[in-house]
Amino acid sequence: MPQGRSKKKSRKHQRFMERRALLEQKGLLSPRRCLGSQARVAGPEPCSMLTKAGGTTAPRCGKVPKPKQVISPSLSPSASPDSIARHHSVLLSQGNGSSKGVRTSSPLLRPGKYVAIDCEMVGTGPQGRLSELARCSVVNYEGDVIYDKYVQPELPIVDYRTRWSGITKRHMKSAIPFKAAQAEVLKILKDKIVVGHAIHNDFQALKYFHPKDRTRDTSQIPVLKQRAGLPVRASVSLKSLAGHLLKKKIQVGCKGHSSVEDAQTAMELYRLVEVQWETELARSLPPRPPSPVTDPTTDSNQYMDDRYWPTDLMTSSL
């Protein structure tokens, strides 16, 4: 290579590095990371210090290979929670069994994206025929309670339905307004995959519609009914499924149902057939268009072009 061309390239690279250092000082560009002394491997160029015209120094790093991200081959790095759910069966092959004897999904599935909900309603309106929300409970993937509050209906209560709801007049003393409860619960449900039994009733009480592909209704899972030895088209109660499959007695006594217990039971039932159910859903749901993948380095590198430089930086670098 001719000497003149080499010097020209060297000056151009030095000017590039000076501009990069200025951008980093201004906070317009993230500083490049150098390999530490303990993390160095053969191949990449070690970090060095570049001396600038003013006597100051700036780090100069060689290229460091990016760690490979382990995801499903058919998913993009920016896959949405419901896209991940579609490939549930692939990712679950990396999971381990939990101490409760229920199959646990891989950390890549982000169990924090899964919640179960149950609501208790009371009667309002003429002869108490209208059903309004009076209690709402939400549990996480592990069955831990993350929300449980009594709710004051918008209309006066005519029938507490205590035999089924477990709601009494004293519970309304600590109840919060419906609008406040609705806002709190919908904030939790946003972008989540929601599990429940006959869950359309809960959404109706919340005056809310959740995306179908992010809803898991345990009353509509044929595999649960098959495993319980019940007719696939039969309407099966949560109590019946819990007794057959979990050997668990719920909704007993005359004090009404517990929305916390019902939500926890629905999540247990879901996790019992999670792999098989998600596999069947992945086959039945239409594929979504892939999310556009953007390269973050492209967005930052474009600012190295002169036309994106502020005037004060241009003058100070010359």
Side-chain angles (χ1 to χ4, degrees), residues 10-36:
S10 176
R11 291 193 194 98
K12 184 177 181 180
H13 179 72
Q14 184 175 355
R15 187 163 174 256
F16 173 86
M17 294 304 297
E18 289 175 0
R19 290 183 175 183
R20 187 180 188 93
L22 281 170
L23 281 177
E24 291 174 359
Q25 292 174 5
K26 294 284 185 177
L28 299 176
L29 190 67
S30 300
R32 301 178 68 183
R33 293 183 179 180
C34 298
L35 288 176

Side-chain angles (χ1 to χ4, degrees), residues 218-237:
T218 54
S219 70
Q220 301 296 326
I221 315 178
V223 66
L224 273 177
K225 299 175 185 179
Q226 291 172 356
R227 188 173 290 197
L230 301 170
V232 175
R233 296 187 178 183
S235 178
V236 184
S237 67

Side-chain angles (χ1 to χ4, degrees), residues 24 54-55 88 132 175 187 193 232 243-244 251 253 274-275 288 312:
E24 291 174 359
H88 207 103
E132 287 199 56
K187 186 176 181 180
I193 293 178
V232 175
H244 281 88
Q251 302 175 357
E274 184 177 13
V275 179
R288 285 196 173 195
D312 59 335

